[in-house]
Amino acid sequence: MASSSGIKAGKAYVELFADNSKLVRGLKMAESKVKNFGAKIGRMGAKIAGVAAAGIAPALLAIQAASNMEEVMNKFNVVFGKSAGQVKKWSDALAKDVGRSKRQIAEFMSEAQDLYMPMGFDSTAATAMSKTVTQLAIDMASFNNKNDADVFRDIQSALTGSSETMKKYGSNVKIGAVNNQLLSDSIDPKSATEQQKVMARLAIIMRETTAAQGDAKRSAEAYANQMKRTMGVLEDTGGAIGKALLPIVTPIVKKVGQIVEAFGEWAAKNKALTVLLFKVVAIVGALG
């Protein structure tokens, strides 16, 4: 004979499957709670990721700034040789004076020196020209509201014979003008050396840009120059921080490179397995 508890259990079983609305509501409620929990975890993860990114991004920028300066100084030290230390002091002083980053001024200086030395200028003359052209480029960019690097490249091109680049600044360094300058310097244009022609072009540019010279300091309080100064300070500060991080990061990057290289060699020797692994990853990703 069935017990009273057995009858009640059987009744509950019948009711459950005859009317499962309570069960469905319960499952839906559980599903909703799980979804809400997942959403909270997702938001928490996004916040953590945001905090991590906020901390990592400035460090990466600082490391990049330090790396850029390191690359510039590698060239700077080579082209200036024994006088690199003394020239760098002048370069840093100019950077502070006109409100530009130390990296930018050092880069202009090294590029100028690297152009003039192969032309036959001795180290002293080339350095003097590098200083003149670097400072002139900053002033002309400030005066004409142009990008410093663009103006620097225009002057460099003009000195090597491309007269068109200086027309927009009101300076004429065409052949006729250069020949007249050579004659005024008691040099026969027909027998003039490349160095003499470069010096003649520079003399013309200096003479015809007197209004621009010194403008970076004169208009230092203007918005454009203040913005350049601020960006320069930020780059220098980031570079100083990044310089401290480079000894830590460089070995890590080297190790990662070695791992990637080793995996590449392994993949080359195990092509079939590599393809299989790729398919597994692709399937797992698709299922996800």
Side-chain angles (χ1 to χ4, degrees), residues 30-100:
E31 180 186 11
S32 176
K33 288 181 178 180
V34 170
K35 285 183 176 179
N36 289 336
F37 178 73
K40 288 179 180 178
I41 293 297
R43 288 193 293 270
M44 186 182 298
K47 289 180 180 179
I48 292 172
V51 171
I56 293 172
L60 292 177
L61 291 173
I63 291 168
Q64 185 60 57
S67 176
N68 292 340
M69 186 61 169
E70 187 177 59
E71 291 300 313
V72 168
M73 288 310 299
N74 286 339
K75 182 176 181 178
F76 189 96
N77 291 331
V78 170
V79 296
F80 286 106
K82 295 180 180 179
S83 61
Q86 184 180 356
V87 177
K88 185 62 168 60
K89 289 180 180 179
W90 184 93
S91 174
D92 289 348
L94 177 63
K96 183 178 181 180
D97 201 31
V98 297
R100 301 296 187 269

Side-chain angles (χ1 to χ4, degrees), residues 24-277:
V24 172
R25 285 199 301 271
L27 290 173
K28 287 185 176 180
M29 187 179 296
E31 180 186 11
S32 176
K33 288 181 178 180
V34 170
K35 285 183 176 179
N36 289 336
F37 178 73
K40 288 179 180 178
I41 293 297
R43 288 193 293 270
M44 186 182 298
K47 289 180 180 179
I48 292 172
V51 171
I56 293 172
L60 292 177
L61 291 173
I63 291 168
Q64 185 60 57
S67 176
N68 292 340
M69 186 61 169
E70 187 177 59
E71 291 300 313
V72 168
M73 288 310 299
N74 286 339
K75 182 176 181 178
F76 189 96
N77 291 331
V78 170
V79 296
F80 286 106
K82 295 180 180 179
S83 61
Q86 184 180 356
V87 177
K88 185 62 168 60
K89 289 180 180 179
W90 184 93
S91 174
D92 289 348
L94 177 63
K96 183 178 181 180
D97 201 31
V98 297
R100 301 296 187 269
S101 74
K102 294 178 181 178
R103 189 272 316 158
Q104 178 183 332
I105 301 300
E107 186 171 8
F108 284 5
M109 292 284 294
S110 60
E111 288 184 7
Q113 189 80 353
D114 193 37
L115 176 67
Y116 308 144
M117 290 288 286
M119 290 181 176
F121 289 98
D122 61 42
S123 179
T124 302
T127 299
M129 287 182 63
S130 297
K131 291 179 179 179
T132 299
V133 169
T134 297
Q135 187 157 12
L136 179 63
I138 299 298
D139 284 333
M140 286 178 60
S142 173
F143 188 73
N144 294 281
N145 194 27
K146 292 186 178 295
N147 181 272
D148 296 344
D150 291 340
V151 177
F152 177 78
R153 283 192 292 268
D154 286 341
I155 296 174
Q156 292 284 80
S157 295
L159 292 178
T160 56
S162 179
S163 60
E164 293 299 312
T165 60
M166 293 303 296
K167 287 175 66 176
K168 55 179 166 289
Y169 306 109
S171 182
N172 176 20
V173 286
K174 291 183 178 181
I175 295 175
V178 173
N179 287 343
N180 288 335
Q181 179 65 42
L182 289 168
L183 289 171
S184 68
D185 293 333
S186 302
I187 299 171
D188 183 357
K190 294 180 181 179
S191 59
T193 65
E194 187 58 33
Q195 296 97 301
Q196 290 172 328
K197 292 178 183 178
V198 170
M199 292 301 295
R201 295 182 189 113
L202 180 59
I204 294 171
I205 293 171
M206 292 298 293
R207 184 173 64 248
E208 295 180 346
T209 59
T210 53
Q213 292 166 30
D215 190 76
K217 288 185 65 176
R218 285 197 305 269
S219 59
E221 298 303 317
Y223 173 81
N225 278 327
Q226 281 297 312
M227 181 59 70
K228 289 179 180 180
R229 179 179 291 276
T230 300
M231 296 304 293
V233 170
L234 286 173
E235 183 177 351
D236 287 343
T237 302
I241 296 171
K243 188 176 181 180
L245 296 176
L246 278 179
I248 301 171
V249 176
T250 302
I252 296 174
V253 173
K254 182 180 180 181
K255 191 66 177 178
V256 170
Q258 291 172 344
I259 293 171
V260 172
E261 184 179 3
F263 180 76
E265 293 174 356
W266 178 88
K269 296 176 182 178
N270 301 273
K271 294 181 180 179
L273 186 55
T274 301
V275 172
L276 179 61
L277 287 173

